[in-house]
């Protein structure tokens, strides 16, 4: 191993966790500060997956849109059901 190699960047899991927190805050903000019940977030390699059961298509779309606006998100997979 090269002793002069730069130190590694923070682990992807730490970056993904920070992004998950940021995305959760964006979603909560879209719902008057309250994260929707029954919805979970997953982040892997800066790609967000939203899962759970929501009341209607409008709610699912609002969640997906809010998840996409956080800086650093490369994509959103909407796995919500009605």
């Amino acid at each position: 191993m090269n002793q002069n190699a730069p130190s590694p960047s923070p682990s992807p899991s730490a970056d993904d966790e920070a992004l998950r927190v940021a995305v959760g805050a964006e979603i909560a903000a879209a719902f008057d500060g309250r994260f929707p019940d029954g919805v979970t977030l997953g982040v892997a390699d800066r790609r967000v997956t939203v899962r759970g059961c929501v009341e209607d298509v409008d709610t699912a779309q609002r969640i997906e849109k809010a998840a996409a606006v956080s800086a650093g998100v490369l994509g959103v997979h909407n796995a919500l059901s009605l």
Side-chain angles (χ1 to χ4, degrees):
M1 184 169 147
N2 181 348
Q3 295 298 323
N4 296 324
S7 60
S9 61
S11 70
S13 60
D15 291 343
D16 287 344
E17 177 59 19
L19 191 54
R20 189 188 67 76
V21 170
V23 168
E26 287 289 345
I27 293 172
F31 289 86
D32 299 320
R34 190 168 166 268
F35 193 86
D37 289 334
V39 174
T40 61
L41 288 177
V43 179
D45 298 324
R46 297 171 44 195
R47 298 182 196 306
V48 177
T49 299
V50 287
R51 288 188 169 87
C53 189
V54 295
E55 292 182 14
D56 53 41
V57 172
D58 179 59
T59 300
Q61 290 173 340
R62 286 173 58 202
I63 291 169
E64 181 178 4
K65 184 176 178 180
V69 301
S70 292
V73 171
L74 294 181
V76 177
H77 175 67
N78 185 341
L80 295 167
S81 60
L82 303 178

